[in-house]
Amino acid sequence: LFMFFQLLRMEPNAPGLRPGARQLAAVLLRKKLLTLWRVLDLQKQSELKAILLDLLGKEPGRPERLAIASLVVVVAKVELRDGHCGWP
């Protein structure tokens, strides 16, 4: 889980980073996030939510930004379903 977040946080033009790798990381993270979210403690959840919103605001590439937005949607749905209102 955190490996995907680290990949998302890398600069888009980082050396050795293949085109589409960050978008793929976001897509794979979205698929795993729903099942792994409940295992995380509240502090980690808060950190990851802050990272996602930060990434969404700073991402220059449209495909990556859409993939990150999909992650935000998944987290928001889980938060609403669990009765935690007020995010994002």
Side-chain angles (χ1 to χ4, degrees):
L1 179 68
F2 293 105
M3 178 181 66
F4 294 130
F5 269 107
Q6 288 175 346
L7 188 57
L8 278 176
R9 295 178 80 182
M10 291 178 73
E11 290 295 322
N13 55 357
L17 187 63
R18 298 180 134 238
R22 294 174 62 246
Q23 179 186 7
L24 181 60
V27 170
L28 293 173
L29 186 57
R30 179 179 47 95
K31 292 182 177 202
K32 296 285 186 185
L33 190 63
L34 191 58
T35 56
L36 298 175
W37 189 255
R38 288 192 177 87
V39 204
L40 299 173
D41 60 39
L42 291 176
Q43 181 181 355
K44 284 289 183 198
Q45 288 179 357
S46 294
E47 289 174 20
L48 294 178
K49 289 189 282 190
I51 290 169
L52 283 175
L53 290 180
D54 185 54
L55 287 171
L56 187 61
K58 291 181 178 178
E59 181 56 52
R62 188 171 192 274
E64 292 86 356
R65 194 170 51 247
L66 290 174
I68 293 168
S70 295
L71 279 170
V72 171
V73 168
V74 169
V75 172
K77 283 182 180 180
V78 170
E79 290 288 295
L80 282 173
R81 185 178 62 204
D82 292 346
H84 305 287
C85 297
W87 189 84

